[in-house]
Amino acid sequence: MSEPIGEIGSVEDLMKVLASEGGPETRWYRGHADVSWTLIPSLARKREWIESEILLLKKFKQNAIPRIAAPLGSEWDWLFLAQHHGLPTRLLDWSENPLIGLYFACEYDAGADGRFWILRPNDLNEKSSPGSPGILLFGHDRILDNYLPEEARSPSPIQPPVAAVAARSFGRIVAQSGTFTICHRSFEPLENMHEGTYLESHSIPLARKAFIREQLKVLGINAMTVYPDLTHLAEYVKSEF
């Protein structure tokens, strides 16, 4: 597993990291509350989830339809909805906003240092799918159809993970400036693929998490803005008193 190359103890430290990156290259960000966590999608965290992937999604669809405002347009929309409500999927969330990544690294103390990840999605796709048109778009680039649950389970060649964006039709994707990586049949941690040459990370000391949360709150990054639902709104308002 690749080790963090530096440490972030404040928003000012984050700005220095971003300034040192330089250049116009696209970068995405992700935060882990525990520095030891690897970059694997939620589906890969239990064998029984992998084995029951199709059934999980069917059960979700069966019971979600009465709870959503309008019919969903595609199988991808169902996966995005399921992902953002905690159902295990092949998707791994990233953000175009570094402050969102920092928020997730500090959201919980978790009794451990956090970790702030930086991904260069174009570099990942260049290695995973040479000749692909840069960052892929769900529902547009047909290569992604191979990663749908039904297709990924077919006896086709195993594909490496790729980076892709989605139409922002869900509140959480909008609020979190959300983007994704998605895996095929291999659930190897992303940092181990292609020797991790498109990734870097920085640790977040446990003792600095509360301070960073306060800094982010001043900048308008908090549970109310990151999670646009009434439950988190109520929790945030309650915490203020």
Side-chain angles (χ1 to χ4, degrees), residues 41-100:
S42 54
L43 186 71
R45 295 169 194 168
K46 290 188 178 181
R47 182 175 178 180
E48 55 266 35
W49 288 347
I50 298 174
E51 294 172 347
S52 304
E53 178 185 19
I54 303 297
L55 183 59
L56 281 168
L57 192 57
K58 285 182 177 178
K59 195 73 174 178
F60 181 79
K61 289 180 180 179
Q62 175 192 5
N63 294 286
I65 288 176
R67 304 164 192 248
I68 57 179
L72 299 184
S74 70
E75 191 69 6
W76 287 120
D77 286 339
W78 276 110
L79 282 173
F80 303 142
L81 182 67
Q83 168 78 357
H84 281 287
H85 287 281
L87 194 78
T89 76
R90 298 168 182 271
L91 295 163
L92 192 65
D93 291 300
W94 294 82
S95 177
E96 293 176 322
N97 185 340
L99 295 178
I100 297 294

